[in-house]
Amino acid sequence: MQTPFERLTSAEHLLLNELIETRFGLSFGEEKRALLEGRLRPRLLSLGLRKFIDYYLLLKFDFESEATQLAHLLTNNESYFFRETYQFESLFADGPELLAGNGSPAWKILCAGCSSGEEAFTLNIFARESGRIDTTVDAFDLDTDRVRTALQAQFGRSSLRALDESAVNEIFRPQVGDLHELRPRFREGTSFTAGNILNLRTYPTQGPYDVLFCRNVLIYFSERALLTAIQNFAEMLRPGGLLFLGHSESIIGLTDLFETVRLSSCIAYRKVEEK
Amino acid sequence: MNEDLNPTDPDLSWQECMDLLDRLPSFPAQDRVATIERLVRNPSPMIRERALRTGAAVVPDDRLVTYLRSDADDIVRNAGMEMLKMRGAKGLPLSVRLLRDEDPDVVLQAVLALGHLRDLRALEPLRASLTHTSPNIVAAAIEAVGRLGDDRAVPDLLPFLEADLWLQMAAVQALGDLRSSRALKHLSELLPDLMVGPMAAEALARVGGLKAFKALIDHWLLFGEDGDTETTLGLLAHVVEGLSKAPEPQPELLESLVGCLQSEDTEIRASAARCLLALGPTDLDDAALDELAEGQADASIVPACLDLRRDLASTLVAKGGKSRAWGFLLAAKSPRSVPVDVVVQALTTGLPSADTLRPAALALERIQSPRIAEALVDQFVAAESERGSVLVPLLATHRDYLEEVVSQRSDLDSDSRLVLLAQFGTEGEKVTEGILELDEDRRFAVLERIIDIEDIARRLPWRDWLGRDPDKYAPLAARIAARYGMADLLPTLRQLLIDQPTPEVVRAMGEFGDRESVPTLGEILNSDANPLIPIVLESLGRIGGPEARAAIREVIFNGKCEPRLGLRALSLCAIEEDDAVFRGAVGHADWYVRLTCAEVLGRFTRPENLAALSQLAADPVEIVSKQALSSLEA
């Protein structure tokens, strides 16, 4: 009766992609079929499932119990400290003028899809080093394992790849093995939770926010999910608040909730004032 | 879904448009076309794309030609063009016919469609278009001929290298597409040209080979700093990686590449690193490797620039991270390139990352040593039990050495020793006894780690355990019973199905094809909102037979299951008398239901099934139309 594990068929691929897209917004089109198969296969093996349709049926049976595992398998947002900082530089250079209308010098920043926290912590470091010590950075991600890493604030060498030795020593303290722990002063003001960009109820509740970062996440979204995400971002931002996306991501023409605004070295999207 | 949607309503929401598209297969033919003509104007790319795909399948030829002639309406004309392209090979006769059309715009679109099609049958008609009076059509025909990839067309294209700029650019592009060495000399001569030189460089890179490399190098050394460094260097890297033997690098070239390795531009640094590694060995290998690992290259395959660099395998394994994965992959091809010491050192630095695991397993299959077995056991012992399981595939590569290593180790806890012993495949009795001596919690943890070893799984007293603690053991026992066909557990599993059904137990019944469990599965199916219904349906489908079919049909008809899951289950065991169920569902809004219909109706060749399949062959969802066509052909 023992038979080899079977390949992901076209129909199974479409079924699973449909489910993943609906629940997480992530889209694994035909060009990513092999990737999806590779990511899911270890899970099938550990569940003792032979066919991908069985995994689909298991998800239909009880999605919530499997959601964490599935999210961990599907999201692979490798990040590192001080990655593509031109947007941060622009925010802290141009933000005081652009965000002057929020009535408070303390900015509230939200990182959606924060992975293991490198981006959120980098923002926090920028805020502290530019004297905005009252800034808070809330962040969330679908993958609870990565959120746990962010909460522990311990990172391996690959997360520090953009830093030279002196910066590493200033920002981190060495731990056992290859791990480096973020110094407490750079953790202050940050918070991390598990949440789904598509589900507003899972967002942190400290809004409305002045600034929202969601970089290199929406590229994996279907159009339907993208529209939901934009709607949710608009809900979380105060009028005039700024949205920063990855450099290859654009929402121009997709929504009238935001307008583009040019900063010194990047483009951001400003939530339009309510009429 | 709203049945009253009017496709001509200008205020349809995104969701309503999607609903319309879902329902399109059930519309009469003329309504489908009208709906498509409306939806191709929708601002949503996704809705437009789906409308175009459907249009490609259902809009008649004469209607499509009127779209192409719509001078006043760009949207409709572009939609016609897209549909023609999406028709694929089925659109070839119409496109060829349109090459003789009186309207040059229509001819141009036909040429573009044929270029997109890449069907060699289009070569002769396209060659004729190279003499058309409209330069736009000639330029498009040149590029289309290039895309066909038949190098016999080279002589037809060479004269255009001396034509006006527009046609010259098209010819350079096309010659690159043809990848013919016959074009190398002509393309090299164009490199200094300010206008077409960059395109010629790209075309040369696509042709590839030593001559193209030399031409590009000469050009780079003469003009490199003045031109687009990023592009040219990327092309050089691409060409040198494709050579079967790297040429001796000229000192001026190395000097230039060293400069690029210091660039502020990451792309330039990455391309310089690729060139240096492909041309190596050189003193710059180490710096280039660091740069390569820093970039976007994937850990799961050896970058092309390292393909011929077996000499670097050892260095790569020693480096860690992505480099280590590449080193192991090279070592798997050439095991002598990495000394055992280096492997042992790599294994003692911590558990392999997910990226390194598979490459390491491939390499360790070929590099066998008791010292490696010892290092693996060290790691296994040091890791927490759950994390240590990642090492099992690596341990399996050194099964022959493990026994001796384990017997000599006094620091192993009994659970780890059992899991390791289980890997030998010769100690079944000893392992079984050891498992029986463990307390329940530890036993369960060990069982989960050795479930893949059939000999041991079969020796264990599953029936006793199920009797004592069914909650704990049922999922594992059901998996093992189904996997290894342990029919002696069936009576116990049937009782569990009645008392406390779980997904694993339900699935096991399907795997066994156990007809005795059908009544119980039927009861679960008819209980209200039971989350197990999807898995029960699947199992009933796998079991089959009149009772299972009746149970499935009942829930399909009384709406107690999702139609896609019910029809899928029925499809697994359908006989000819079920085909009416599937014929009745060919207009269903769910693509998966229609896909299932297309597959099942192909099994039973009644005339009415053929009619239903013809309808499905024009389905807007590609997988459905393909399945229907395949069923019709069969």
Side-chain angles (χ1 to χ4, degrees), chain A residues 1-3 5 9-16 18-19 21 44-51 53-62 69 78 80 83 161-162 222-225 227 253-254, chain B residues 14-15 18 43-47 293-296 452 454 479 481-486 502-504 507 511-513 530-535 538 542 562 564-565 568 590-592 595 621 623:
Chain A
M1 183 168 293
Q2 191 178 3
T3 49
F5 291 93
T9 66
S10 299
E12 288 166 342
H13 165 234
L14 290 170
L15 283 172
L16 284 164
E18 191 178 74
L19 187 66
E21 206 174 300
L44 262 72
L45 288 169
S46 73
L47 290 168
L49 302 177
R50 200 160 46 86
K51 297 179 174 190
I53 188 74
D54 289 323
Y55 188 57
Y56 172 78
L57 294 170
L58 189 74
L59 292 170
K60 297 289 276 185
F61 159 69
D62 183 3
Q69 284 281 359
E78 196 214 12
Y80 52 91
R83 180 186 189 184
R161 70 180 82 151
S222 65
E223 186 176 309
R224 187 197 302 255
L227 293 170
L254 279 178
Chain B
W14 189 88
Q15 188 57 55
M18 294 300 272
S44 159
M46 189 189 217
I47 289 168
E294 187 66 20
Q296 301 291 320
D452 289 331
E454 181 174 354
R479 270 169 61 182
R483 189 158 174 189
Y484 303 127
M486 291 156 65
T502 63
E504 292 83 0
R507 198 177 303 115
E511 301 268 318
F512 273 111
N530 191 323
L532 276 169
I533 285 174
I535 301 171
E538 184 77 5
R542 288 178 189 173
E562 268 189 68
R564 63 165 51 175
L565 301 182
R568 176 188 155 77
D590 181 350
W591 65 271
Y592 190 75
L595 176 68
V621 177
I623 189 172

Side-chain angles (χ1 to χ4, degrees), chain A:
Chain A
M1 183 168 293
Q2 191 178 3
T3 49
F5 291 93
E6 293 179 15
R7 302 296 310 265
L8 176 69
T9 66
S10 299
E12 288 166 342
H13 165 234
L14 290 170
L15 283 172
L16 284 164
N17 190 41
E18 191 178 74
L19 187 66
I20 291 164
E21 206 174 300
T22 310
R23 294 303 189 119
F24 296 149
L26 302 170
S27 180
F28 289 79
E30 183 55 36
E31 74 288 358
K32 290 186 186 159
R33 180 165 150 191
L35 178 73
L36 181 64
E37 180 174 347
R39 297 246 175 111
L40 295 184
R41 186 169 292 288
R43 185 66 188 144
L44 262 72
L45 288 169
S46 73
L47 290 168
L49 302 177
R50 200 160 46 86
K51 297 179 174 190
F52 283 89
I53 188 74
D54 289 323
Y55 188 57
Y56 172 78
L57 294 170
L58 189 74
L59 292 170
K60 297 289 276 185
F61 159 69
D62 183 3
F63 184 86
E64 299 312 324
S65 298
E66 184 63 15
T68 305
Q69 284 281 359
L70 183 60
H72 183 65
L73 294 169
L74 298 179
T75 56
N76 183 27
N77 305 322
E78 196 214 12
S79 190
Y80 52 91
F81 281 85
F82 289 82
R83 180 186 189 184
E84 293 172 10
T85 53
Y86 62 97
Q87 288 173 316
F88 304 165
E89 287 156 16
S90 287
L91 170 64
F92 287 96
D94 307 332
E97 191 182 331
L98 286 166
L99 296 169
N102 75 343
S104 161
W107 291 349
K108 287 160 89 174
I109 301 177
L110 179 64
C111 279
C114 66
S115 188
S116 36
E118 289 87 340
E119 177 181 88
F121 284 131
T122 305
L123 267 166
N124 202 36
I125 294 167
F126 261 83
R128 263 123 197 87
E129 305 225 314
S130 61
R132 294 195 157 269
I133 54 168
D134 293 332
T135 298
T136 57
V137 182
D138 295 337
F140 68 96
D141 196 87
L142 198 54
D143 184 345
T144 50
D145 280 356
R146 293 207 172 89
V147 171
R148 202 173 302 128
T149 302
L151 288 167
Q152 288 164 349
Q154 293 188 340
F155 299 90
R157 268 279 161 196
S158 77
S159 290
L160 319 182
R161 70 180 82 151
L163 298 171
D164 60 27
E165 217 42 48
S166 68
V168 169
N169 291 332
E170 188 197 331
I171 299 171
F172 300 91
R173 52 187 184 199
Q175 296 293 297
V176 182
D178 202 23
L179 287 177
H180 287 69
E181 187 181 65
L182 191 68
R183 292 188 185 276
R185 68 174 186 276
F186 295 120
R187 280 187 260 163
E188 279 169 21
T190 59
S191 79
F192 294 89
T193 53
N196 183 344
I197 287 174
L198 294 188
N199 186 350
L200 202 54
R201 282 177 301 171
T202 65
Y203 279 52
T205 53
Q206 287 76 27
Y209 289 90
D210 300 293
V211 181
L212 196 156
F213 274 84
C214 182
R215 303 196 304 174
N216 306 315
V217 177
L218 300 183
I219 39 172
Y220 302 109
F221 274 35
S222 65
E223 186 176 309
R224 187 197 302 255
L226 179 62
L227 293 170
T228 308
I230 295 168
Q231 185 81 39
N232 289 347
F233 293 165
E235 289 277 338
M236 295 310 293
L237 278 169
R238 69 168 179 80
L242 297 175
L243 168 65
F244 290 86
L245 302 176
H247 65 85
S248 59
E249 297 164 326
S250 167
I251 56 170
I252 294 171
L254 279 178
T255 177
D256 51 10
L257 297 170
F258 290 91
E259 59 192 8
T260 49
V261 50
R262 183 169 286 282
L263 281 69
S264 50
S265 56
C266 68
I267 282 178
Y269 301 91
R270 180 164 47 199
K271 184 182 168 186
V272 294
E273 305 279 344
E274 281 151 21
K275 289 163 190 163

